[in-house]
Amino acid sequence: MRSLLSLFFSLLLLTGSAVALEQSPDALVQQVTDDVLNIVRQDKDIQSGDTAKALKLVETKVLPYFDFRRMTALAVGRNWSKATPEQQQRLAEEFKNLLVRTYSNALTSFKDQSVSYRPSTFAAGATDVIVKTEVVQPGSQSIPLNYALEKQGRGWKVYDVIVSGVSLVTNYRGAFAREVSNKGIDGLIQMLGNRNTQLANANK
């Protein structure tokens, strides 16, 4: 649960308005975090385990600010180029659903955590940056949480998250590679679909 909740912050912290998206990536993270966390703290339904409401919150506040296609391509690795355009689309959709459902479940476990911001320095005109933060947990050690973001148009989108030095996309890559090796691209799509069905059924 510790790692799950930590990874959830990777989705939670990068939400915000269109105006916020025009800011620098570190300013974006810092400005919107308090607003989002306040929503969670004030929502008794989510705190009581309402995963459907948590799922809606993640879908509306998080999805627009993540590049799930790039995240999926990085997680699938060299096998991504072997997939057809249709398979790539299905992989990205299933992986997105997996992350959203996983973090929606973690959202219901949010209690007294907070976030601190570490100094971030970016080169002038940089379009690919790392934003550094920490998840502070009362009574437990803080968890380093870094975001890899890319400038896309007028705003920024996250394409990887590094928790305590472990990359989210790299963490999935091994399991995905084994599944493709054993059952092919369609096997990986089916595995992700089955996992999403299990998560959906567990929340009914």
Side-chain angles (χ1 to χ4, degrees), residues 73-88:
L74 291 171
V76 176
R78 63 183 181 181
N79 290 309
W80 179 255
S81 62
K82 301 177 184 178
T84 66
E86 180 183 0
Q87 287 174 322
Q88 290 179 352

Side-chain angles (χ1 to χ4, degrees), residues 16 79 91 96 117 135 143 186:
N79 290 309
L91 281 169
K96 178 194 73 175
Y117 307 94
V135 178
I143 303 172
D186 287 335

Side-chain angles (χ1 to χ4, degrees), residues 33-96:
T33 297
D34 288 342
D35 291 341
V36 176
L37 295 185
N38 284 337
I39 293 174
V40 177
R41 291 189 182 103
Q42 296 172 15
D43 195 311
K44 301 302 182 183
D45 293 334
I46 292 177
Q47 293 177 23
S48 299
D50 189 335
T51 53
K53 195 168 185 180
L55 180 62
K56 184 178 180 180
L57 175 61
V58 173
E59 287 176 340
T60 56
K61 294 289 188 179
V62 174
L63 262 62
Y65 311 107
F66 270 68
D67 187 344
F68 285 105
R69 183 176 177 85
R70 184 175 180 188
M71 292 180 76
T72 307
L74 291 171
V76 176
R78 63 183 181 181
N79 290 309
W80 179 255
S81 62
K82 301 177 184 178
T84 66
E86 180 183 0
Q87 287 174 322
Q88 290 179 352
Q89 182 177 351
R90 293 179 63 193
L91 281 169
E93 184 67 21
E94 293 292 355
F95 191 44
K96 178 194 73 175

Side-chain angles (χ1 to χ4, degrees), residues 13 114-118 132-136 142-146:
L13 301 182
S114 61
V115 177
S116 64
Y117 307 94
R118 300 168 62 189
K132 300 177 180 181
T133 72
E134 287 185 341
V135 178
V136 180
S142 297
I143 303 172
L145 188 61
N146 298 339

Side-chain angles (χ1 to χ4, degrees), residues 63 65-78 80 88-89 91-93 95-96 99 127-130 147-152 155-161 167-170 172-173 176:
L63 262 62
Y65 311 107
F66 270 68
D67 187 344
F68 285 105
R69 183 176 177 85
R70 184 175 180 188
M71 292 180 76
T72 307
L74 291 171
V76 176
R78 63 183 181 181
W80 179 255
Q88 290 179 352
Q89 182 177 351
L91 281 169
E93 184 67 21
F95 191 44
K96 178 194 73 175
L99 293 177
T127 59
D128 197 315
V129 302
I130 299 292
Y147 306 90
L149 298 102
E150 181 183 43
K151 184 71 175 295
Q152 297 185 5
W156 294 85
K157 287 196 175 185
V158 62
Y159 65 87
D160 195 12
V161 183
S167 159
L168 171 65
V169 295
T170 301
Y172 278 101
R173 189 175 295 161
F176 285 7

